[in-house]
């Protein structure tokens, strides 16, 4: 998961880490970064979409590997 987070664009990664790891509300992240809460919301959506796509690809790879072994 940490490697997947590192693949996010820098600003998107920073916002994701502030919200998820530091548990800051969108409003606080927006204030610190001098952006709107809506921008934080959009960037979180982008981050979550990219991370879910990566997880899906990885899980499909694991299933394929298991099917090849069995």
């Amino acid at each position: 998961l940490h490697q997947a987070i590192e693949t996010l664009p820098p600003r998107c990664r920073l916002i994701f880490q502030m919200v998820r790891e530091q548990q800051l509300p969108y409003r606080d992240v927006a204030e610190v970064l001098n952006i709107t809460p809506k921008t934080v919301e959009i960037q979180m959506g982008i981050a979550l979409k990219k991370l879910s796509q990566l997880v899906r690809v990885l899980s499909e790879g694991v299933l394929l590997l298991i099917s090849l072994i069995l």
Side-chain angles (χ1 to χ4, degrees):
L1 182 58
H2 293 291
Q3 288 177 337
I5 293 170
E6 291 300 316
T7 68
L8 295 172
R11 185 76 160 187
C12 188
R13 181 176 59 238
L14 174 62
I15 290 169
F16 180 83
Q17 290 171 326
M18 291 176 79
V19 170
R20 291 297 171 123
E21 295 174 8
Q22 298 175 21
Q23 299 181 344
L24 295 174
Y26 287 10
R27 179 179 35 84
D28 292 353
V29 173
E31 282 182 28
V32 169
L33 299 178
N34 197 29
I35 57 178
T36 67
K38 185 67 176 176
T39 300
V40 175
E41 181 182 335
I42 291 168
Q43 289 296 308
M44 283 299 294
I46 292 168
L48 293 172
K49 182 177 179 180
K50 287 180 183 249
L51 292 174
S52 70
Q53 289 171 342
L54 283 169
V55 168
R56 189 175 317 114
V57 168
L58 289 174
S59 64
E60 289 171 359
V62 168
L63 290 175
L64 177 63
L65 184 61
I66 290 171
S67 69
L68 292 173
I69 294 171
L70 300 175

